[in-house]
Amino acid sequence: MISVNNAPRQLLRLLHGIMAGASSAEHRLAEVVRLVASNMIAEVCSVYFMRGGEILELFATEGLKKSAVHKTRLRVGEGLVGHIAATAMPLNLSNAQKHPKFVYRAETGEEVYHSLLGVPILRFGKVVGVLVIQNKTRRNYMQEEKESLQTVAMVLAEIIGSGDLFDPQEQREATLERAATSRFEGVVFAEGMAEGVAVFHEPKIEVIKHLTDNVSLEKQRLNSALKSLQDQIREMMSAEDVRHQREHKEILDVYMLFARDKGWKSKIEAIINTGMTAEAAVERVQLNNRARMQKMSDPYLRERLSDLDDLANRLNRHLMGLVGTAASDNLPDKVILVAHNMGPADLLDYDRNKLCGVILQEGSQTAHVSIVARALGIPMIGQAEEALLAVAEGERVIINGIEGVVYLSPSSEILYGYRQTIKSRNMLLAEYDALRDQPAVTLDGVAIDLQVNAGLSIDMEGLKRSGASGVGLFRTEFQFMVSASLPRVGPQAAFYREILDAAEGKPVVFRTLDIGGDKPVSFLKRDDEANPALGWRAIRIAFDRPALLRYQVRALLDAAAGQELNIMFPMITDVNEFKMAREILDKEISRQKKRFRQPLKTAKDNIQENIQENMPTNIRVGTMLEVPALVWQLDNLLPLLDFISIGSNDLLQFFFACDRENPKLAGRYDPVSPSALTMLKSIVDKCRHYNVPVTLCGEIGAKPVTALALLAIGFTRLSITPAAVGPVKMMIRSLNLAMARDYMQTLLSRSDHSLTALLTAFARDHDIKI
């Protein structure tokens, strides 16, 4: 018999011998329960594993009737074993039969046993089984005994991972009977529905080796990994996009405190001393932290659990020497990407033939990664922290990007319902498709110009598919963001020419380079900024690095030879900035004309023909209105423009002083508020006065109810995602615009936080399809 104080190390040594044996998994399992019962002074030791359908099946026992093996089955939540599985928490009872969850199973012969200690068997943070010991006498098991049993449970998880007992995929395909742990809600960042398998952008770690004979080596590995982890955090803290974000830096300060915490390190070393590997010790300590923190009543402290999970995962990655993301891996055919957060360049790294959907722990609807996802037609759900804590690598996942719901390991019923929803959605999409060649005209005869936003060559398929009249905003920066060096004029021109050719004569409005802020490029070093969204970005960079704008304009002029060129400048703050940008454009136009002034023959007519063949037939110049200061300069600005486009994403974040990248502020301020709509209406009215076409380019126009609000304040041109064209056109064709504008006049003087509910009710009462 082993004393309690020496039990962990000696028990692990004996377990190591069993697990290293060549016998079958069933035989090893029987040996483990016999060993545990003998060395923990228990009369019963039993192991239950989760099977398909979330059924806990008795796989091995010492002390209960052997005939009950593979016959005794409990649902999750049923009996004490099911309760342990449902809560993922240990259970220590001196009189188990008095517990309200106790269920008697005659085939086991357990009626004579009173005390019970049970722990969950966890893999990837999810319950895959339950390990139980029992005694006839009423005893309170000590903390050391619980920890020993948890250690054994970690080792038993290896058997599941090996697949020797049964296919572990069977557990991933369990049903959704525990709705609270299988159905998770988030915020829709990009609409759509998808089914696939979970792949972590930075994959979770599966600890395969739990036992070691070389404790000193494991401690050395731990020290080395902790140093690497601390170095990584320092590097993250010095990154360009963190130094100026106080909240991000504070989070990393906490990470550094955890990484340097001597208490954390000593707990890990204590587990290593029992004979466990460094990776297994890290995992074990984190399981203990999770159990303790989940009991805390303070929500702030409970929220720190995800920080500790992430830190433990990072430490184990350093221990295993794993670096990089999943983009470079051999991906399965249908991928649901899972990430804490990510940028647009990260998303573009993935094979879009395999990427079906994305789940983010954080993020916002107006972040650029969300915009890219919408442009690519990739369903994305964000702010889904609980889903990220529960999902396992390779698990089957459904994303309902209409309702903002994530399903893990869906049952056949859920799959059937999902596929029925897809069928219904496809019918609705067919209705939208039937409208593709129909005009976007209201019931009272007002024509609305629907265009699409784009930024990639693949987006041009959306132009054809949606039946939009053109591209109201082509973001040119993505070509620069994925390039290690500044793209040369030739490749730029070839890319823009490809876009114009794909448009097949429909207008394309190119926005010049809008980098900086949350869109860094590798070839341009930026200084530290307190607030990059309001700092050195877009046209401000172009003025300080004029070659960037000159080369891009040169490429656009080359690409648009023989056709119309529409070009606009981003982030213009005052009239003088537009004049400066226009001067750069005019110089490049003059340069282009001089290039082709050499005659093909001696006749002067041929000189003019050569210029005409190699220049755009018409050049229309406009600007983005994204800075509120420009709203009060329109009388001086509009006479200089051919058109103006409102970048509502930036304009409204500056208007509300609300960082659109901050998940804590997502949804706090509604663009369909009287104040925001009144400002937008003043712009529309001023543009009408000067007869300057105005287009709204932004996410506010992409939903039928918010598009209704924009039309009601005077907009007749919207540039939205291709997927939004069908729903918005359907709304337009069911709308009496004069009636909507009359109703809006009664709303703008209100003080409501949002007018969305009132407009939704108006649409319902007037059969407007939203």
Side-chain angles (χ1 to χ4, degrees):
M1 200 72 63
I2 296 175
S3 69
V4 170
N5 289 336
N6 294 327
R9 179 176 294 192
Q10 295 185 47
L11 183 59
L12 278 174
R13 187 179 298 119
L14 294 169
L15 280 174
H16 182 68
I18 294 174
M19 298 301 289
S23 58
S24 69
E26 289 270 9
H27 183 267
R28 279 179 282 151
L29 201 56
E31 288 293 311
V32 168
V33 295
R34 188 158 41 249
L35 174 69
V36 172
S38 171
N39 289 283
M40 293 190 69
I41 319 175
E43 291 158 297
V44 172
C45 178
S46 305
V47 178
Y48 296 79
F49 282 127
M50 194 90 74
R51 301 301 301 267
E54 295 207 339
I55 297 294
L56 289 155
E57 179 180 315
L58 179 63
F59 261 73
T61 186
E62 177 68 18
L64 298 182
K65 294 179 179 179
K66 299 294 185 182
S67 59
V69 172
H70 297 306
K71 291 183 180 179
T72 297
R73 308 183 100 197
L74 297 162
R75 291 190 175 275
V76 171
E78 181 185 6
L80 297 176
V81 170
H83 180 65
I84 294 168
T87 60
M89 298 288 289
L91 191 61
N92 187 347
L93 301 172
S94 61
N95 192 350
Q97 296 180 25
K98 294 294 184 182
H99 193 281
K101 281 287 185 179
F102 177 78
V103 172
Y104 172 63
R105 288 298 179 87
E107 73 271 15
T108 65
E110 65 179 344
E111 64 272 13
V112 297
Y113 302 105
H114 292 281
S115 53
L116 177 144
L117 174 63
V119 298
I121 301 171
L122 301 171
R123 183 169 180 258
F124 288 132
K126 298 189 72 175
V127 176
V128 296
V130 174
L131 175 62
V132 175
I133 59 173
Q134 295 171 272
N135 286 88
K136 291 179 181 178
T137 58
R138 297 181 182 179
R139 56 175 291 201
N140 291 307
Y141 298 95
M142 293 185 291
Q143 178 67 22
E144 290 85 354
E145 291 174 299
K146 185 185 77 172
E147 291 180 358
S148 293
L149 206 61
Q150 287 176 318
T151 299
V152 176
M154 290 179 64
V155 175
L156 289 176
E158 286 186 27
I159 296 180
I160 294 296
S162 69
D164 291 341
L165 282 176
F166 54 85
D167 185 355
Q169 183 68 27
E170 179 183 318
Q171 294 180 331
R172 294 175 184 158
E173 295 174 351
T175 66
L176 290 178
E177 297 200 15
R178 281 186 297 156
T181 59
S182 299
R183 180 187 186 277
F184 302 93
E185 294 186 356
V187 177
V188 176
F189 290 173
E191 289 191 357
M193 303 187 77
E195 176 186 354
V197 296
V199 172
F200 287 92
H201 177 54
E202 293 181 335
K204 287 183 181 178
I205 299 301
E206 180 181 11
V207 177
I208 297 174
K209 184 181 179 183
H210 289 81
L211 308 175
T212 182
D213 291 325
N214 194 336
V215 169
S216 60
L217 176 61
E218 294 304 311
K219 288 184 177 180
Q220 291 174 17
R221 293 179 63 237
L222 175 65
N223 289 331
S224 177
L226 281 170
K227 183 180 183 302
S228 297
L229 174 63
Q230 292 166 13
D231 290 343
Q232 181 191 42
I233 295 172
R234 288 191 194 94
E235 184 178 347
M236 293 166 66
M237 293 173 74
S238 64
E240 196 79 21
D241 58 349
V242 170
R243 292 204 304 267
H244 45 253
Q245 291 283 355
R246 186 179 68 181
E247 183 184 4
H248 293 175
K249 189 174 185 303
E250 287 174 352
I251 291 172
L252 291 177
D253 283 339
V254 173
Y255 269 46
M256 183 59 83
L257 286 174
F258 286 153
R260 289 175 171 171
D261 183 46
K262 293 181 180 179
W264 188 43
K265 179 183 177 184
S266 65
K267 289 178 182 177
I268 297 171
E269 287 181 329
I271 302 298
I272 292 175
N273 285 336
T274 68
M276 299 193 77
T277 62
E279 295 92 333
V282 171
E283 184 178 64
R284 166 71 182 281
V285 169
Q286 186 53 22
L287 288 174
N288 292 341
N289 287 337
R290 172 178 285 277
R292 186 177 68 256
M293 295 181 74
Q294 284 178 331
K295 294 179 180 179
M296 293 180 176
S297 58
D298 188 332
Y300 174 80
L301 294 176
R302 286 202 308 270
E303 287 172 3
R304 302 284 68 76
L305 176 59
S306 61
D307 294 342
L308 288 173
D309 280 337
D310 182 46
L311 197 68
N313 191 51
R314 287 178 183 274
L315 179 55
N316 266 342
R317 289 182 68 80
H318 284 283
L319 281 166
M320 295 180 178
L322 300 176
V323 295
T325 68
S328 58
D329 296 344
N330 185 19
L331 297 171
D333 288 337
K334 293 184 178 181
V335 171
I336 302 296
L337 189 64
V338 180
H340 177 77
N341 213 337
M342 62 193 311
D346 292 327
L347 189 63
L348 294 172
D349 280 340
Y350 285 86
D351 183 345
R352 289 190 289 279
N353 292 320
K354 294 185 175 182
L355 183 59
C356 298
V358 180
I359 306 171
L360 297 180
Q361 182 173 342
E362 294 187 350
S364 70
Q365 291 172 317
T366 52
H368 280 94
V369 68
S370 304
I371 293 172
V372 172
R374 287 190 288 272
L376 295 175
I378 298 172
M380 178 181 283
I381 291 180
Q383 299 176 32
E385 182 170 358
E386 291 184 354
L388 261 80
L389 292 176
V391 67
E393 182 91 11
E395 185 169 14
R396 183 177 294 172
V397 178
I398 286 176
I399 288 181
N400 184 335
I402 308 300
E403 299 177 356
V405 176
V406 175
Y407 293 104
L408 306 183
S409 299
S411 66
S412 57
E413 291 82 2
I414 293 292
L415 283 170
Y416 175 78
Y418 160 78
R419 286 160 184 163
Q420 288 297 109
T421 303
I422 285 288
K423 185 177 179 180
S424 299
R425 180 168 171 78
N426 287 340
M427 292 174 64
L428 186 59
L429 292 175
E431 290 186 50
Y432 297 153
D433 188 59
L435 295 176
R436 180 176 54 192
D437 299 323
Q438 298 298 314
V441 178
T442 65
L443 294 176
D444 50 343
V446 180
I448 306 298
D449 190 2
L450 293 181
Q451 301 180 333
V452 295
N453 299 329
L456 304 164
S457 56
I458 193 174
D459 295 340
M460 303 309 289
E461 286 296 318
L463 174 62
K464 298 176 184 177
R465 190 172 59 250
S466 66
S469 64
V471 178
L473 167 62
F474 192 92
R475 304 178 178 93
T476 60
E477 56 269 12
F478 294 131
Q479 186 188 17
F480 292 77
M481 292 171 65
V482 298
S483 178
S485 59
L486 174 65
R488 300 181 69 83
V489 173
Q492 284 191 59
F495 176 68
Y496 302 141
R497 192 175 299 114
E498 177 186 348
I499 298 304
L500 289 168
D501 290 345
E504 297 179 343
K506 292 183 177 180
V508 178
V509 179
F510 292 96
R511 182 181 69 187
T512 60
L513 193 58
D514 183 7
I515 55 174
D518 66 338
K519 293 177 284 185
V521 291
S522 59
F523 54 82
L524 185 64
K525 183 180 179 181
R526 296 187 297 141
D527 295 329
D528 187 22
E529 292 184 287
N531 193 334
L534 302 177
W536 196 53
R537 56 171 289 203
I539 201 68
R540 299 168 183 178
I541 293 178
F543 291 148
D544 292 343
R545 302 286 188 273
L548 283 172
L549 181 57
R550 285 175 48 212
Y551 292 165
Q552 185 176 34
V553 167
R554 198 172 297 173
L556 286 166
L557 291 170
D558 281 347
Q563 52 190 310
E564 183 175 80
L565 173 63
N566 298 282
I567 185 171
M568 61 181 174
F569 305 112
M571 201 66 180
I572 296 293
T573 304
D574 59 33
V575 176
N576 188 56
E577 285 189 343
F578 175 76
K579 291 179 178 178
M580 292 168 61
R582 179 64 197 250
E583 185 178 350
I584 293 174
L585 171 61
D586 289 341
K587 286 182 179 179
E588 287 302 317
I589 291 173
S590 297
R591 177 189 177 279
Q592 190 83 340
K593 288 180 178 179
K594 289 178 182 178
R595 282 181 61 203
F596 298 106
R597 195 169 292 278
Q598 297 299 320
L600 297 175
K601 298 178 182 179
T602 56
K604 291 184 178 180
D605 288 344
N606 287 330
I607 297 176
Q608 188 62 31
E609 288 176 6
N610 195 24
I611 293 174
Q612 290 176 350
E613 288 176 1
N614 292 281
M615 287 291 295
T617 56
N618 185 35
I619 301 175
R620 298 175 69 245
V621 185
T623 183
M624 295 289 291
L625 198 167
E626 301 164 287
V627 182
L630 203 59
V631 176
W632 286 271
Q633 302 175 63
L634 292 177
D635 287 317
N636 294 318
L637 176 67
L638 290 173
L640 307 176
L641 303 177
D642 294 310
F643 63 92
I644 190 169
S645 296
I646 297 175
S648 62
N649 295 346
D650 268 338
L651 178 63
L652 291 175
Q653 85 161 333
F654 299 146
F655 179 76
F656 286 118
C658 174
D659 180 6
R660 61 179 175 155
E661 302 291 342
N662 189 332
K664 291 184 177 180
L665 299 178
R668 180 169 295 189
Y669 303 102
D670 197 319
V672 190
S673 65
S675 59
L677 292 177
T678 298
M679 176 189 66
L680 293 172
K681 185 176 186 302
S682 72
I683 300 170
V684 176
D685 292 343
K686 190 71 72 171
C687 291
R688 186 181 297 112
H689 175 75
Y690 284 95
N691 197 28
V692 174
V694 57
T695 303
L696 187 133
C697 306
E699 302 309 310
I700 186 177
K703 292 185 177 180
V705 68
T706 50
L708 169 60
L710 296 173
L711 300 183
I713 60 173
F715 282 98
T716 57
R717 290 182 182 85
L718 302 176
S719 188
I720 53 183
T721 59
V725 172
V728 171
K729 184 184 285 190
M730 181 175 285
M731 180 274 295
I732 290 169
R733 290 173 60 86
S734 63
L735 171 68
N736 184 310
L737 186 54
M739 187 181 297
R741 288 178 174 173
D742 289 343
Y743 180 62
M744 179 60 77
Q745 286 299 320
T746 69
L747 301 180
L748 291 178
S749 60
R750 297 173 66 103
S751 59
D752 301 51
H753 172 74
S754 172
L755 300 179
T756 301
L758 291 171
L759 288 169
T760 301
F762 174 81
R764 183 181 62 245
D765 294 341
H766 294 84
D767 296 324
I768 302 169
K769 297 179 180 179
I770 61 170

